[in-house]
Structure formats: structure tokens, C-alpha cells
Amino acid sequence: MKVLSEQSMRVKNFLLSLPGLLRREWRAVLAVLTANVVFAFAVSYFTLPYRFPDLGISGLAVLSNYVFGISPSWIIFIGNVLLIFWGRRSLNLRFLVLTFSSIVIFSLFIPIFRDIPLNLPRDKFMATVITGLLKGVAIGMLFNIGGSSGGLDIVAMVLRRRHGIEVGRFFIFVNFFILALSVGVVGLEPVVYGAVGLYVFGITLDSVTRSFDKRKQAFIITNVPDEVCRFITAKGKGVTRLEGHGAYTGQPRPVLISLLEPRQVVQLKAFLKEKDPRAFVSICDATEVLGQGFKSWKSL
């Protein structure tokens, strides 16, 4: 009885804290909903009608639909729930909650979209490109908020944390096996189209994940460091000041380091052109920035 009362209290506390959690995570909730609606739309209208193969749990679900007529939503839901249960001890709670939410939303929208006929162009190559673009955008949105679509994402993260297995090699091996199975079910031509779609998916996914995190890292050596610091902080960005010395002159030269958005770099260069035309500035890309004001550590 004591154990049951403790569990009931935990459930009660979780339900009481749920409104506050949703307020803090509303961006993640919106991203999960949007991404999975887009993903389900792509599968329903640009994968299944053309008998294109897919990858991961979704790929196995699509094959089961082609062979046995089973709704992909059932295979995706059951398979992902089993994977979450298997990997729950190796993954943080936030990742699991977001991933489970993705699975539920995706599984719900697959049958909804299949019952809504749309008069879309019946061109296989265009469908291949569109499905790659839509899936890349959807999965990229999920990765950027620290979630996933489930399936192989769960397995890859667990194996990396438990055994240090490289994610890229794991995906290549498993997906090659699924594509090989697909040849016997749908034939060679759809598999080739599917491979093209997966290539577009990969490029789009990289572009989406990088664009969300992309920042410019600025190294600045100037004769007016205090003014530059005030200018940067007024833009809502932090700046770090290091005390350096010129190797040739031996003079003290403060070095400023800041991470800025691309438009802020343009503003900074205009400011330096006016205030200190002799300033030295080095700008480079920072593809991922973690910390206050940028990507949250909770998303990892």
C-alpha cells in the first residue's frame, strides 16, 4: 500500500507540474506537432502511393503495408514503444518524452491523411524529391529541439552511449539491409527512386540542423575595446575580453571574442568601419553553440 501511495503521489505531482512544464517547453511542443504532421504528410502522399521504400522502423512499416496490408501507424507505434522501453535507462527523460510524443502524433496522422484524398502530380521523380525535402525538414526540427522521430534514432543513441558505436556506420549498415529487403518487395526501380529521396533527405537534414545552430564567431582586436563591448552587449550578445600582447610591438592588445548572428556581424563591421578602421577582425562559422542565449544543454 505504501508503494502504491508513493507512486500515486508522483503521478499527482507530475500532473500538477504539467501546466508549468508546457509553458516552458511550448516551442518544443509546437515543433514536435509541426514536424510530425509534415512527416506523416510526406509518407502518406509521397511514399506509400508510389510504393517507395523507407528506412528504419518506418521502412519496415512501409514494407509490411505493401506485403500484408497492415497500417504503418501500428507497426511504427508498437515498434517504437518497445524501443523506448528497451533504451529508457540510457536516455534522458526529456528526450524520451519528446520522442514518445512524436511517435503518437505521427501514428495518429498517418490514417488521417490516408482518408483525405488529394489531387497531387503523379510524377515519381518529383515525389522523390518532395518526400526527401519534407522528411529532412521534419527530422531536422525534431533534432534541433532535442527530440527524435523514434526508431533507429533511439537505437543509435543507446548504442553510442553504452558501447561507443559510431552512429553513421550503424545507420549505413541497418538501412542497407532494409533497402536490400525492399528490392524483393517493390522491385529495383522504386528502390532507386527511394535512394534518391534519401540522398535529398540527408542534404536537407544537414542544412536544417546547421541553419538552426549556425552562428558567427568574431575575434576582434581594436583600439576601442570598451566601445565595441558596449555595442555587442547592446545587441543582446555576450563578449569575452582577453588580455593579449602584440608579438612584434610588445604592446598590450585586448582581444574580444563574441558569438553573433549573421546580421549582427554586418552591423559590427559597419560600426568598426566608423569607429576604428584599423581594427583587425576574424569571422568564422560556429556550427553549434551551447549555453545561455543559444542552444540549451537540455536538447542534448
Side-chain angles (χ1 to χ4, degrees), residues 1-41:
M1 293 296 293
K2 185 178 180 181
V3 174
L4 290 175
S5 62
E6 289 178 355
Q7 290 178 345
S8 300
M9 186 60 66
R10 289 178 181 174
V11 173
K12 181 179 179 181
N13 291 335
F14 173 76
L15 293 175
L16 290 174
S17 63
L18 191 58
L21 180 64
L22 291 175
R23 283 195 297 270
R24 292 193 302 271
E25 296 282 1
W26 68 269
R27 289 186 179 86
V29 172
L30 181 61
V32 167
L33 177 61
T34 304
N36 282 283
V37 170
V38 171
F39 194 12
F41 180 86

Side-chain angles (χ1 to χ4, degrees), residues 141-163:
M141 291 175 64
L142 292 173
F143 282 172
N144 283 322
I145 53 97
S148 79
S149 62
L152 293 184
D153 300 342
I154 299 172
V155 179
M157 292 196 70
V158 171
L159 292 179
R160 183 178 65 180
R161 294 185 181 186
R162 290 183 182 176
H163 308 292

